[in-house]
Amino acid sequence: MNRRIRPLAAVTALTALLAAGLVAPGTAQAGSGATPGPAAHGCAPLRPESDFYAGGRVATVLLTVPENPTCTTISVSHIVDVAAPADRCQDFLVIFYPTDGSEPVATEPVTACSHGPRSRPVVLATDVPDGAPYRVLYEIDYLGQDVRFTVRH
């Protein structure tokens, strides 16, 4: 399965919300003023914090692809809805924020499921450039949903 980074028309409204600053109060904003979090060395998994809700999706804090030529994908695993632990599937996508100031670019949404602790990670993006700032977003099933997951980049 090869999911390349490409523009996605479906996130245009979300991008407009981000640019207009219409996100949850007190949260970080994406765009030219956003500062990506430090890049982890290696392709280690991490559990990112949620940053804001917009357009029916919850976004993580701004992350950065590590400077490591072996870390070429972004994937998710260990997915669980905190309020309904039997629910281990969610729709995810990745939005990249080009450092040259051009428009954000999103991947196609991917339904990812975890079937226990030994489930394989589900790839959301391939051929990701070193140092690229990005957020992982998931589509909510109901208001107030809290999905925990691990990101590997």
Side-chain angles (χ1 to χ4, degrees):
M1 227 180 297
N2 192 4
R3 290 183 173 78
R4 298 225 180 252
I5 302 167
R6 62 182 154 246
L8 179 65
V11 297
T12 302
L14 178 59
T15 303
L17 288 172
L18 293 171
L22 300 175
V23 295
T27 59
Q29 307 249 340
S32 60
T35 304
H41 296 302
C43 305
L46 59 130
R47 283 202 176 260
E49 296 291 320
S50 294
D51 190 18
F52 63 86
Y53 167 85
R57 292 187 170 115
V58 173
T60 65
V61 295
L62 197 59
L63 303 169
T64 304
V65 175
E67 299 285 339
N68 184 330
T70 63
C71 303
T72 60
T73 64
I74 295 173
S75 60
V76 291
S77 64
H78 300 90
I79 304 156
V80 64
D81 181 339
V82 175
D87 182 1
R88 296 180 145 309
C89 293
Q90 209 66 36
D91 292 335
F92 291 91
L93 61 94
V94 179
I95 295 183
F96 291 92
Y97 299 93
T99 56
D100 65 3
S102 57
E103 289 295 313
V105 178
T107 62
E108 294 289 337
V110 174
T111 300
C113 297
S114 291
H115 302 288
R118 297 191 191 270
S119 288
R120 291 182 157 250
V122 177
V123 175
L124 304 178
T126 60
D127 301 326
V128 297
D130 288 352
Y134 72 95
R135 293 179 192 270
V136 175
L137 289 79
Y138 67 86
E139 192 168 330
I140 63 166
D141 297 328
Y142 57 89
L143 242 108
Q145 184 179 25
D146 183 15
V147 175
R148 303 286 165 90
F149 55 93
T150 299
V151 173
R152 183 177 296 271
H153 62 191

